[in-house]
Amino acid sequence: MPQTPENKIMEVIKADGRYPPEAFAFLLNEGLPRAVREVYGTDAAAAKSDLTSPREHHHVSGKQLCLSLRDQALEKWGLLAPTVLESWNIRATLDFGNMVYLLIKHNLMQKTAEDRIDDFRDVFDFNEAFKPTDDHELKA
């Protein structure tokens, strides 16, 4: 039986062991489509149904992806966002980069010649990004 991209992703995630499948699901199924939608518009995000297909490649930068993941986490979990991410061993934006580059290494995502892992370094400070303000709302 041929191996599907989803099975390959699960094998890679389990072999690496740094981040759980839920973290990759959040990255691939929520953060990445949001970033594509924010950069290219709704139609582009809808067309990007298969992340491994080069034919529908809509590149987003490390910074764009990190900011979309932050915004998605705030919308989805509010004050619990840092707790959820921490439970997945995600403590800094470079962790998002580690996840992306793990998939790139195994040909499960693509990068451009200009992309670097450092594009994910210190995009935002987790303590500041998820810190409640005086009126108990979150900074976004």
mmCIF file of all heavy atoms in Angstrom, residues 84-114:
data_model
loop_
_atom_site.group_PDB
_atom_site.id
_atom_site.type_symbol
_atom_site.label_atom_id
_atom_site.label_comp_id
_atom_site.label_asym_id
_atom_site.label_seq_id
_atom_site.Cartn_x
_atom_site.Cartn_y
_atom_site.Cartn_z
ATOM 1 N N VAL A 84 -1.422 26.033 26.347
ATOM 2 C CA VAL A 84 -1.571 25.001 25.317
ATOM 3 C C VAL A 84 -0.264 24.843 24.546
ATOM 4 O O VAL A 84 0.231 23.727 24.363
ATOM 5 C CB VAL A 84 -2.733 25.332 24.354
ATOM 6 C CG1 VAL A 84 -2.769 24.360 23.192
ATOM 7 C CG2 VAL A 84 -4.070 25.322 25.095
ATOM 8 N N LEU A 85 0.313 25.944 24.104
ATOM 9 C CA LEU A 85 1.558 25.869 23.336
ATOM 10 C C LEU A 85 2.688 25.269 24.170
ATOM 11 O O LEU A 85 3.449 24.436 23.678
ATOM 12 C CB LEU A 85 1.930 27.251 22.800
ATOM 13 C CG LEU A 85 0.944 27.825 21.776
ATOM 14 C CD1 LEU A 85 1.282 29.275 21.447
ATOM 15 C CD2 LEU A 85 0.901 26.981 20.515
ATOM 16 N N GLU A 86 2.789 25.663 25.411
ATOM 17 C CA GLU A 86 3.810 25.110 26.316
ATOM 18 C C GLU A 86 3.629 23.603 26.475
ATOM 19 O O GLU A 86 4.602 22.851 26.506
ATOM 20 C CB GLU A 86 3.714 25.795 27.684
ATOM 21 C CG GLU A 86 4.539 25.164 28.783
ATOM 22 C CD GLU A 86 5.991 25.578 28.769
ATOM 23 O OE1 GLU A 86 6.308 26.626 28.201
ATOM 24 O OE2 GLU A 86 6.809 24.825 29.346
ATOM 25 N N SER A 87 2.390 23.142 26.540
ATOM 26 C CA SER A 87 2.143 21.702 26.692
ATOM 27 C C SER A 87 2.621 20.930 25.459
ATOM 28 O O SER A 87 2.828 19.722 25.522
ATOM 29 C CB SER A 87 0.657 21.423 26.955
ATOM 30 O OG SER A 87 -0.116 21.567 25.782
ATOM 31 N N TRP A 88 2.796 21.643 24.351
ATOM 32 C CA TRP A 88 3.301 21.048 23.110
ATOM 33 C C TRP A 88 4.799 21.311 22.923
ATOM 34 O O TRP A 88 5.333 21.135 21.839
ATOM 35 C CB TRP A 88 2.557 21.611 21.915
ATOM 36 C CG TRP A 88 1.114 21.231 21.818
ATOM 37 C CD1 TRP A 88 0.469 20.200 22.443
ATOM 38 C CD2 TRP A 88 0.125 21.874 21.008
ATOM 39 N NE1 TRP A 88 -0.843 20.171 22.080
ATOM 40 C CE2 TRP A 88 -1.086 21.185 21.202
ATOM 41 C CE3 TRP A 88 0.151 22.969 20.153
ATOM 42 C CZ2 TRP A 88 -2.266 21.559 20.561
ATOM 43 C CZ3 TRP A 88 -1.017 23.343 19.513
ATOM 44 C CH2 TRP A 88 -2.218 22.641 19.716
ATOM 45 N N ASN A 89 5.464 21.812 23.974
ATOM 46 C CA ASN A 89 6.891 22.154 23.930
ATOM 47 C C ASN A 89 7.180 23.332 23.010
ATOM 48 O O ASN A 89 8.299 23.476 22.518
ATOM 49 C CB ASN A 89 7.742 20.945 23.525
ATOM 50 C CG ASN A 89 7.595 19.813 24.503
ATOM 51 O OD1 ASN A 89 7.572 20.028 25.704
ATOM 52 N ND2 ASN A 89 7.472 18.611 23.988
ATOM 53 N N ILE A 90 6.208 24.167 22.780
ATOM 54 C CA ILE A 90 6.397 25.378 21.980
ATOM 55 C C ILE A 90 6.506 26.543 22.951
ATOM 56 O O ILE A 90 5.539 26.904 23.609
ATOM 57 C CB ILE A 90 5.234 25.579 20.990
ATOM 58 C CG1 ILE A 90 5.161 24.407 20.023
ATOM 59 C CG2 ILE A 90 5.387 26.905 20.242
ATOM 60 C CD1 ILE A 90 3.938 24.414 19.126
ATOM 61 N N ARG A 91 7.727 27.096 23.024
ATOM 62 C CA ARG A 91 8.015 28.149 23.995
ATOM 63 C C ARG A 91 8.528 29.431 23.346
ATOM 64 O O ARG A 91 8.715 30.437 24.017
ATOM 65 C CB ARG A 91 9.039 27.647 24.999
ATOM 66 C CG ARG A 91 8.538 26.463 25.800
ATOM 67 C CD ARG A 91 9.605 25.883 26.717
ATOM 68 N NE ARG A 91 9.079 24.734 27.445
ATOM 69 C CZ ARG A 91 9.144 23.493 27.006
ATOM 70 N NH1 ARG A 91 9.711 23.219 25.851
ATOM 71 N NH2 ARG A 91 8.646 22.503 27.718
ATOM 72 N N ALA A 92 8.804 29.358 22.048
ATOM 73 C CA ALA A 92 9.322 30.511 21.307
ATOM 74 C C ALA A 92 8.987 30.328 19.835
ATOM 75 O O ALA A 92 8.690 29.217 19.384
ATOM 76 C CB ALA A 92 10.839 30.604 21.499
ATOM 77 N N THR A 93 9.075 31.413 19.083
ATOM 78 C CA THR A 93 8.751 31.329 17.665
ATOM 79 C C THR A 93 9.713 30.409 16.917
ATOM 80 O O THR A 93 9.331 29.828 15.904
ATOM 81 C CB THR A 93 8.729 32.727 17.015
ATOM 82 O OG1 THR A 93 9.985 33.384 17.233
ATOM 83 C CG2 THR A 93 7.603 33.575 17.603
ATOM 84 N N LEU A 94 10.921 30.245 17.427
ATOM 85 C CA LEU A 94 11.859 29.332 16.782
ATOM 86 C C LEU A 94 11.339 27.892 16.814
ATOM 87 O O LEU A 94 11.660 27.101 15.926
ATOM 88 C CB LEU A 94 13.239 29.418 17.441
ATOM 89 C CG LEU A 94 14.349 28.628 16.764
ATOM 90 C CD1 LEU A 94 14.529 29.041 15.306
ATOM 91 C CD2 LEU A 94 15.655 28.790 17.524
ATOM 92 N N ASP A 95 10.511 27.552 17.795
ATOM 93 C CA ASP A 95 9.904 26.214 17.815
ATOM 94 C C ASP A 95 9.024 26.001 16.584
ATOM 95 O O ASP A 95 9.010 24.905 16.010
ATOM 96 C CB ASP A 95 9.099 25.994 19.096
ATOM 97 C CG ASP A 95 9.988 25.838 20.315
ATOM 98 O OD1 ASP A 95 10.945 25.032 20.262
ATOM 99 O OD2 ASP A 95 9.744 26.528 21.323
ATOM 100 N N PHE A 96 8.304 27.037 16.155
ATOM 101 C CA PHE A 96 7.530 26.915 14.912
ATOM 102 C C PHE A 96 8.475 26.649 13.743
ATOM 103 O O PHE A 96 8.196 25.829 12.878
ATOM 104 C CB PHE A 96 6.718 28.184 14.640
ATOM 105 C CG PHE A 96 5.644 28.477 15.657
ATOM 106 C CD1 PHE A 96 5.483 29.769 16.154
ATOM 107 C CD2 PHE A 96 4.778 27.496 16.110
ATOM 108 C CE1 PHE A 96 4.481 30.059 17.077
ATOM 109 C CE2 PHE A 96 3.776 27.779 17.036
ATOM 110 C CZ PHE A 96 3.632 29.072 17.516
ATOM 111 N N GLY A 97 9.595 27.341 13.732
ATOM 112 C CA GLY A 97 10.593 27.128 12.690
ATOM 113 C C GLY A 97 11.157 25.728 12.708
ATOM 114 O O GLY A 97 11.354 25.111 11.659
ATOM 115 N N ASN A 98 11.406 25.207 13.902
ATOM 116 C CA ASN A 98 11.905 23.832 14.011
ATOM 117 C C ASN A 98 10.914 22.845 13.412
ATOM 118 O O ASN A 98 11.312 21.883 12.742
ATOM 119 C CB ASN A 98 12.179 23.463 15.464
ATOM 120 C CG ASN A 98 13.367 24.197 16.046
ATOM 121 O OD1 ASN A 98 14.263 24.624 15.330
ATOM 122 N ND2 ASN A 98 13.370 24.354 17.355
ATOM 123 N N MET A 99 9.640 23.084 13.641
ATOM 124 C CA MET A 99 8.609 22.207 13.093
ATOM 125 C C MET A 99 8.580 22.301 11.568
ATOM 126 O O MET A 99 8.554 21.278 10.875
ATOM 127 C CB MET A 99 7.243 22.577 13.693
ATOM 128 C CG MET A 99 7.146 22.310 15.185
ATOM 129 S SD MET A 99 5.712 23.103 15.963
ATOM 130 C CE MET A 99 4.368 22.280 15.137
ATOM 131 N N VAL A 100 8.594 23.512 11.058
ATOM 132 C CA VAL A 100 8.563 23.718 9.608
ATOM 133 C C VAL A 100 9.787 23.091 8.959
ATOM 134 O O VAL A 100 9.677 22.364 7.964
ATOM 135 C CB VAL A 100 8.470 25.228 9.277
ATOM 136 C CG1 VAL A 100 8.760 25.491 7.811
ATOM 137 C CG2 VAL A 100 7.100 25.774 9.661
ATOM 138 N N TYR A 101 10.956 23.335 9.520
ATOM 139 C CA TYR A 101 12.178 22.826 8.900
ATOM 140 C C TYR A 101 12.316 21.312 9.031
ATOM 141 O O TYR A 101 12.967 20.682 8.183
ATOM 142 C CB TYR A 101 13.411 23.587 9.400
ATOM 143 C CG TYR A 101 13.643 24.797 8.527
ATOM 144 C CD1 TYR A 101 12.879 25.945 8.691
ATOM 145 C CD2 TYR A 101 14.560 24.762 7.495
ATOM 146 C CE1 TYR A 101 13.051 27.031 7.859
ATOM 147 C CE2 TYR A 101 14.749 25.843 6.661
ATOM 148 C CZ TYR A 101 13.984 26.983 6.840
ATOM 149 O OH TYR A 101 14.152 28.056 5.994
ATOM 150 N N LEU A 102 11.696 20.734 10.027
ATOM 151 C CA LEU A 102 11.647 19.270 10.089
ATOM 152 C C LEU A 102 10.866 18.737 8.887
ATOM 153 O O LEU A 102 11.299 17.781 8.234
ATOM 154 C CB LEU A 102 10.991 18.815 11.398
ATOM 155 C CG LEU A 102 10.795 17.307 11.546
ATOM 156 C CD1 LEU A 102 12.149 16.588 11.640
ATOM 157 C CD2 LEU A 102 9.936 17.008 12.769
ATOM 158 N N LEU A 103 9.749 19.362 8.582
ATOM 159 C CA LEU A 103 8.942 18.939 7.435
ATOM 160 C C LEU A 103 9.653 19.232 6.111
ATOM 161 O O LEU A 103 9.578 18.431 5.179
ATOM 162 C CB LEU A 103 7.562 19.599 7.483
ATOM 163 C CG LEU A 103 6.702 19.218 8.691
ATOM 164 C CD1 LEU A 103 5.400 20.006 8.699
ATOM 165 C CD2 LEU A 103 6.438 17.732 8.745
ATOM 166 N N ILE A 104 10.352 20.341 6.044
ATOM 167 C CA ILE A 104 11.126 20.665 4.840
ATOM 168 C C ILE A 104 12.209 19.617 4.621
ATOM 169 O O ILE A 104 12.398 19.132 3.499
ATOM 170 C CB ILE A 104 11.739 22.079 4.943
ATOM 171 C CG1 ILE A 104 10.631 23.133 4.845
ATOM 172 C CG2 ILE A 104 12.809 22.291 3.867
ATOM 173 C CD1 ILE A 104 11.083 24.546 5.198
ATOM 174 N N LYS A 105 12.898 19.248 5.688
ATOM 175 C CA LYS A 105 13.978 18.256 5.606
ATOM 176 C C LYS A 105 13.490 16.943 4.999
ATOM 177 O O LYS A 105 14.212 16.255 4.289
ATOM 178 C CB LYS A 105 14.547 18.009 7.001
ATOM 179 C CG LYS A 105 15.611 16.947 7.083
ATOM 180 C CD LYS A 105 16.052 16.753 8.523
ATOM 181 C CE LYS A 105 16.965 15.560 8.659
ATOM 182 N NZ LYS A 105 17.314 15.317 10.062
ATOM 183 N N HIS A 106 12.235 16.607 5.270
ATOM 184 C CA HIS A 106 11.652 15.347 4.784
ATOM 185 C C HIS A 106 10.769 15.559 3.549
ATOM 186 O O HIS A 106 9.927 14.714 3.244
ATOM 187 C CB HIS A 106 10.882 14.668 5.914
ATOM 188 C CG HIS A 106 11.777 14.193 7.007
ATOM 189 N ND1 HIS A 106 12.473 13.004 6.934
ATOM 190 C CD2 HIS A 106 12.132 14.766 8.189
ATOM 191 C CE1 HIS A 106 13.201 12.860 8.025
ATOM 192 N NE2 HIS A 106 13.016 13.914 8.801
ATOM 193 N N ASN A 107 10.957 16.690 2.879
ATOM 194 C CA ASN A 107 10.224 17.014 1.652
ATOM 195 C C ASN A 107 8.708 17.033 1.826
ATOM 196 O O ASN A 107 7.967 16.671 0.917
ATOM 197 C CB ASN A 107 10.610 16.066 0.510
ATOM 198 C CG ASN A 107 12.078 16.190 0.160
ATOM 199 O OD1 ASN A 107 12.589 17.299 0.028
ATOM 200 N ND2 ASN A 107 12.739 15.065 0.031
ATOM 201 N N LEU A 108 8.271 17.448 2.996
ATOM 202 C CA LEU A 108 6.843 17.535 3.279
ATOM 203 C C LEU A 108 6.341 18.978 3.256
ATOM 204 O O LEU A 108 5.139 19.220 3.336
ATOM 205 C CB LEU A 108 6.528 16.875 4.622
ATOM 206 C CG LEU A 108 6.807 15.368 4.630
ATOM 207 C CD1 LEU A 108 6.841 14.834 6.048
ATOM 208 C CD2 LEU A 108 5.765 14.644 3.799
ATOM 209 N N MET A 109 7.260 19.912 3.180
ATOM 210 C CA MET A 109 6.978 21.328 2.961
ATOM 211 C C MET A 109 8.086 21.833 2.059
ATOM 212 O O MET A 109 9.112 21.173 1.900
ATOM 213 C CB MET A 109 6.949 22.127 4.274
ATOM 214 C CG MET A 109 5.719 21.926 5.114
ATOM 215 S SD MET A 109 5.674 23.028 6.551
ATOM 216 C CE MET A 109 4.938 24.492 5.839
ATOM 217 N N GLN A 110 7.860 23.018 1.515
ATOM 218 C CA GLN A 110 8.847 23.605 0.621
ATOM 219 C C GLN A 110 9.343 24.930 1.175
ATOM 220 O O GLN A 110 8.657 25.569 1.971
ATOM 221 C CB GLN A 110 8.230 23.844 -0.753
ATOM 222 C CG GLN A 110 7.731 22.590 -1.410
ATOM 223 C CD GLN A 110 7.006 22.893 -2.705
ATOM 224 O OE1 GLN A 110 6.816 24.034 -3.086
ATOM 225 N NE2 GLN A 110 6.594 21.843 -3.396
ATOM 226 N N LYS A 111 10.544 25.325 0.736
ATOM 227 C CA LYS A 111 11.079 26.632 1.086
ATOM 228 C C LYS A 111 11.691 27.246 -0.158
ATOM 229 O O LYS A 111 11.945 26.554 -1.136
ATOM 230 C CB LYS A 111 12.112 26.522 2.202
ATOM 231 C CG LYS A 111 13.430 25.890 1.804
ATOM 232 C CD LYS A 111 14.383 25.885 2.991
ATOM 233 C CE LYS A 111 15.814 25.596 2.571
ATOM 234 N NZ LYS A 111 16.506 26.760 2.037
ATOM 235 N N THR A 112 11.906 28.543 -0.094
ATOM 236 C CA THR A 112 12.595 29.225 -1.186
ATOM 237 C C THR A 112 14.076 29.307 -0.842
ATOM 238 O O THR A 112 14.483 29.039 0.294
ATOM 239 C CB THR A 112 12.045 30.651 -1.391
ATOM 240 O OG1 THR A 112 12.384 31.446 -0.253
ATOM 241 C CG2 THR A 112 10.541 30.644 -1.619
ATOM 242 N N ALA A 113 14.872 29.704 -1.802
ATOM 243 C CA ALA A 113 16.320 29.842 -1.579
ATOM 244 C C ALA A 113 16.625 30.912 -0.534
ATOM 245 O O ALA A 113 17.660 30.854 0.131
ATOM 246 C CB ALA A 113 17.008 30.180 -2.895
ATOM 247 N N GLU A 114 15.723 31.858 -0.359
ATOM 248 C CA GLU A 114 15.940 32.935 0.610
ATOM 249 C C GLU A 114 15.527 32.568 2.033
ATOM 250 O O GLU A 114 15.902 33.247 2.979
ATOM 251 C CB GLU A 114 15.169 34.198 0.189
ATOM 252 C CG GLU A 114 15.642 34.811 -1.107
ATOM 253 C CD GLU A 114 15.080 34.104 -2.341
ATOM 254 O OE1 GLU A 114 13.942 33.590 -2.289
ATOM 255 O OE2 GLU A 114 15.801 34.054 -3.357
#
